[in-house]
Amino acid sequence: MNVKLSSDNYRFSTMRSVHFATAEDKKPAGTHASDRDQVTISHQGRDRLEIMADKMEEQFNAMTKEEFMDMLKKWQSENQVQLEVDPRRKVDPDGSISNKTYFESYLGQLKEQEETIRNYYADAYKEAVSAPVDSLEFISAKYLQDWSKYYDVSIPARERQWTYFQLRAMLTGSNIALNDPYALASVGGAKTVDEMDAIARQAVKDKLDALIKEHEALV
């Protein structure tokens, strides 16, 4: 069996032919056989590759294929090199499933927060819509104008401001703020970017793990 060490790097342009000894008749180093299979191993050129190849050539010539594989496995184990293809590549070769799952999870979390906030202000929203005056005038009077007959003194100042701005957004069709500490208090507050990212990444892992199991079940 022939092994050719070649490189595309200009620093290592020579070609070496190395021959594995047969298991039945292990020949001395330097023996060449014409009837053995040939395998080409390409290496990226490195400064020391030329010297390494010189030292390895004689060793390979006196080595059986089985001995070479044992050596390769030992080197892999010692250096913790994973030669196996990432199993996720089998079920998501172009990353499209991962990307879709990530963004669906991330956007889903934002949507969930939005729904929680809208539900929190649902009663206040209905009150504003059915108010005897213009809805925007009503929320301004109730939450901002302390001289108004509609003003609610029972609500803390900071919470009144949040309520006003969230209701105004809901009434005008604008985007509500998703970091509302009062509306999201019941669910532990607003998630940070890092928290949502971690959840989205876990969703990707769970999705690919499930696909890998399905794939392995069909093999």
Side-chain angles (χ1 to χ4, degrees), residues 114 117-118 162 165-179:
E114 180 182 0
I117 294 170
R118 290 185 181 278
W162 270 100
F165 287 114
Q166 296 289 53
L167 288 176
R168 182 178 177 84
M170 293 170 67
L171 290 168
T172 59
S174 304
N175 293 326
I176 62 175
L178 298 181
N179 60 333

Side-chain angles (χ1 to χ4, degrees), residues 32-61:
H32 298 273
S34 59
D35 59 345
R36 299 188 180 101
D37 296 330
Q38 177 174 297
V39 175
T40 299
I41 302 177
S42 297
H43 296 265
Q44 294 297 325
R46 297 180 180 178
D47 293 336
R48 58 182 181 175
L49 190 53
E50 183 84 28
I51 298 174
M52 290 172 60
D54 289 335
K55 293 181 178 180
M56 293 171 65
E57 183 173 355
E58 290 186 2
Q59 183 179 2
F60 279 138
N61 286 337

Side-chain angles (χ1 to χ4, degrees), residues 57-170:
E57 183 173 355
E58 290 186 2
Q59 183 179 2
F60 279 138
N61 286 337
M63 185 181 297
T64 65
K65 180 171 62 176
E66 290 74 18
E67 289 172 336
F68 173 77
M69 294 306 298
D70 288 341
M71 183 185 70
L72 181 61
K73 290 177 181 179
K74 181 180 179 181
W75 177 86
Q76 177 185 348
S77 176
E78 290 176 349
N79 292 274
Q80 296 181 343
V81 176
Q82 298 297 324
L83 299 182
E84 295 82 2
V85 176
D86 187 338
R88 291 175 295 183
R89 293 290 184 183
K90 296 180 180 180
V91 296
D92 187 23
D94 60 357
S96 60
I97 296 177
S98 297
N99 292 336
K100 181 174 183 292
T101 303
Y102 180 90
F103 285 109
E104 283 181 347
S105 174
Y106 202 101
L107 294 176
Q109 294 177 70
L110 295 177
K111 182 64 175 176
E112 183 178 355
Q113 289 192 171
E114 180 182 0
E115 291 178 354
T116 299
I117 294 170
R118 290 185 181 278
N119 289 335
Y120 180 81
Y121 291 111
D123 291 340
Y125 175 82
K126 291 178 182 178
E127 180 187 35
V129 171
S130 60
V133 295
D134 178 77
S135 297
L136 294 178
E137 291 181 7
F138 175 78
I139 63 173
S140 180
K142 181 172 181 177
Y143 302 106
L144 300 180
Q145 301 169 1
D146 57 4
W147 65 87
S148 171
K149 66 178 182 179
Y150 297 113
Y151 188 72
D152 190 342
V153 297
S154 66
I155 304 176
R158 183 61 176 165
E159 187 174 354
R160 280 203 309 271
Q161 292 177 347
W162 270 100
T163 303
Y164 170 77
F165 287 114
Q166 296 289 53
L167 288 176
R168 182 178 177 84
M170 293 170 67

